[in-house]
Amino acid sequence: MTDKPAVLFVCVHNAGRSQMAAGFLTRFAQGAVEVRSAGSEPADQINPVAVQAMAEVGIDITAEQPKILTDAAVKASDVVITMGCGDTCPFYPGKRYEDWVLDDPAGQGIEAVRPIRDEIRRRVIALLEDLAVPVRTLGDELG
């Protein structure tokens, strides 16, 4: 791993879980981690309920767009975190892979998405601690 680790979050549509995780990592790492997200079958837009859930904690992901998962993105990443994309993620020896089992926020209301968001937040903080990157919360409303 380089001085600045690169983390790739992957889910099927790159519209909910992976976008929320990338939003938290971007906020909490404050430039100390290269953050990427992608999907095996990207949606047309970010899930509006995921956008709403993140806005509730002061993180704006409205400018993000779902992106297709590429071999290049995996090769350029030190850590690859999958979220329900099964075997669609290419495997390269020497990469750290984690599979985060999380409910899919697609088609869910805000009450169902909040606990998913909160669990993603918890896991992102644990990932940063494991990577020895200081967590910078900048007045995060979740404490």
Side-chain angles (χ1 to χ4, degrees):
M1 205 173 310
T2 63
D3 289 343
K4 183 175 180 177
V7 175
L8 171 64
F9 294 105
V10 182
C11 66
V12 176
H13 300 295
N14 189 221
R17 294 167 289 190
S18 57
Q19 292 287 351
M20 288 190 286
F24 277 124
L25 187 57
T26 299
R27 163 69 63 88
F28 295 155
Q30 289 296 298
V33 174
E34 190 170 330
V35 182
R36 301 181 175 99
S37 70
S40 53
E41 298 173 27
D44 294 331
Q45 65 180 15
I46 303 295
N47 177 339
V49 181
V51 170
Q52 178 185 355
M54 293 301 284
E56 288 180 352
V57 296
I59 298 175
D60 183 1
I61 61 171
T62 57
E64 300 301 324
Q65 289 295 315
K67 296 168 282 306
I68 187 74
L69 175 64
T70 65
D71 282 355
V74 176
K75 285 180 185 177
S77 300
D78 299 300
V79 180
V80 179
I81 309 240
T82 57
M83 304 172 183
C85 61
D87 296 329
T88 61
C89 187
F91 180 83
Y92 292 99
K95 302 291 177 194
R96 173 179 164 184
Y97 288 85
E98 290 184 23
D99 185 42
W100 291 0
V101 178
L102 299 159
D103 291 336
D104 188 349
Q108 303 291 325
I110 191 67
E111 293 298 326
V113 174
R114 284 181 184 128
I116 299 167
R117 173 203 63 203
D118 296 346
E119 177 61 16
I120 290 169
R121 177 186 182 271
R122 186 191 68 73
R123 291 181 188 211
V124 166
I125 289 171
L127 174 65
L128 281 168
E129 290 170 351
D130 192 52
L131 293 173
V133 173
V135 176
R136 299 175 182 106
T137 58
L138 294 175
D140 176 34
E141 287 79 359
L142 290 179

